[in-house]
Amino acid sequence: MNNKINHALIMAAGRGIRMRPLTDDIPKAMAPFNGSTLIAEGIKELRQNIANIHITVGYKKDILSSHLMLNNVDSIINTNDYGNCWWIFNSLMKNLNQPIFVLTCDNVLNLNFTSLEKMYFQNKMPDCMIIPTKPVDNLDGDYIQKDENNLITYIGRSKKTNLMCSGVQILNPNRIFLNYTKTDNFYSLWNEMIFKKTIICADFIPTYWYAVDNIDQLNKLNLKYKNKN
């Protein structure tokens, strides 16, 4: 494996209810961004560092799948009507005994993949490593609490902390498939990992992170990139 992570998966199956009426016609992943779409820009960013890119689809899967084929992804996984980690236990990804970057289609961020790979392997390839970010005003998310050894002790929204999930994690699908209770919900999986002390928080924060949860946030993001360019 040579301390290289060769796979990434972007979760893009959600309905994007808070982005209606835009998502009445297109999936959230295809929201216009930087002259392209959220998902296409995410794929382009990953292609610079990752050899194999996989995408989960669900809501308006036919439209999104056609768009993804134009962007040359390596596999498309239909998770329609299932939870966000169904693919780990029920798709061919369960046989992948390698680490994989897992991201969400609605987060825009800058990552140093080389540093994250190095950190993951230095930590003896944990079952899951969450990449945190600092909380941003008016953006919802899952808060993280960790101990002095970077073991995660809490992930949730009921208790605010100084760290939040960035939407990026590194995990080993086959190891999870073999050793954890089958679920389609990341909260359930994370809680079992917390109990077993097998999930850590990376000692790393992206240089830029932004979540797109509604039309106003999408417009602000596009304006920021327009001014940047």
Side-chain angles (χ1 to χ4, degrees):
M1 202 181 302
N2 298 321
N3 290 4
K4 174 66 180 171
I5 298 178
N6 297 305
H7 294 267
L9 180 140
I10 303 177
M11 297 188 294
R15 297 186 64 86
I17 293 173
R18 283 174 285 192
M19 290 187 68
R20 298 178 67 183
L22 176 68
T23 50
D24 287 338
D25 299 314
I26 59 172
K28 183 178 184 179
M30 289 178 63
F33 168 55
N34 199 28
S36 182
T37 64
L38 284 173
I39 192 77
E41 287 293 288
I43 292 167
K44 184 169 71 173
E45 179 74 17
L46 286 173
R47 276 291 177 213
Q48 301 175 48
N49 301 277
I50 307 295
N52 305 287
I53 298 176
H54 315 273
I55 315 289
T56 64
V57 300
Y59 176 66
K60 294 191 179 293
K61 60 185 182 296
D62 293 339
I63 297 172
L64 180 54
S65 295
S66 296
H67 181 60
L68 294 172
M69 285 188 281
L70 294 174
N71 286 276
N72 299 316
V73 299
D74 295 276
S75 72
I76 300 170
I77 304 166
N78 179 13
T79 64
N80 195 33
D81 295 328
Y82 295 104
N84 53 11
C85 79
W86 178 88
W87 58 274
I88 297 176
F89 295 94
N90 298 278
S91 76
L92 289 175
M93 299 302 292
K94 68 186 179 183
N95 300 313
L96 182 67
N97 188 20
Q98 296 182 34
I100 180 172
F101 278 102
V102 179
L103 309 92
T104 58
C105 71
D106 52 4
N107 285 341
V108 178
L109 67 172
N110 290 333
L111 287 178
N112 187 322
F113 288 92
T114 302
S115 293
L116 284 172
E117 287 170 341
K118 183 178 179 180
M119 190 176 303
Y120 178 79
F121 288 103
Q122 283 180 340
N123 279 279
K124 301 179 181 179
M125 298 183 290
D127 291 352
C128 183
M129 184 173 83
I130 301 282
I131 287 76
T133 189
K134 293 291 186 182
V136 177
D137 290 341
N138 302 317
L139 289 180
D140 294 329
D142 298 315
Y143 290 90
I144 300 171
Q145 186 170 300
K146 63 175 184 171
D147 66 15
E148 65 276 8
N149 297 312
N150 284 335
L151 277 172
I152 293 178
T153 58
Y154 167 81
I155 300 178
R157 302 196 174 198
S158 61
K159 178 170 59 177
K160 291 190 176 182
T161 69
N162 64 344
L163 291 175
M164 181 181 285
C165 294
S166 68
V168 182
Q169 53 189 318
I170 302 172
L171 54 81
N172 184 308
N174 181 252
R175 202 185 301 162
I176 292 172
F177 170 71
L178 293 174
N179 296 296
Y180 292 86
T181 305
K182 187 174 183 179
T183 180
D184 70 351
N185 184 285
F186 262 117
Y187 281 121
S188 298
L189 178 59
W190 288 335
N191 283 330
E192 185 174 353
M193 289 178 165
I194 289 169
F195 177 76
K196 292 181 175 179
K197 298 183 178 182
T198 54
I199 181 170
I200 71 168
C201 181
D203 191 16
F204 174 98
I205 292 176
T207 55
Y208 177 81
W209 178 85
Y210 192 85
V212 179
D213 214 28
N214 56 50
I215 295 294
D216 183 55
Q217 290 167 356
L218 178 66
N219 291 337
K220 287 180 179 177
L221 180 66
N222 274 301
L223 180 61
K224 183 176 292 188
Y225 269 74
K226 181 180 178 181
N227 292 336
K228 180 180 177 181
N229 298 329

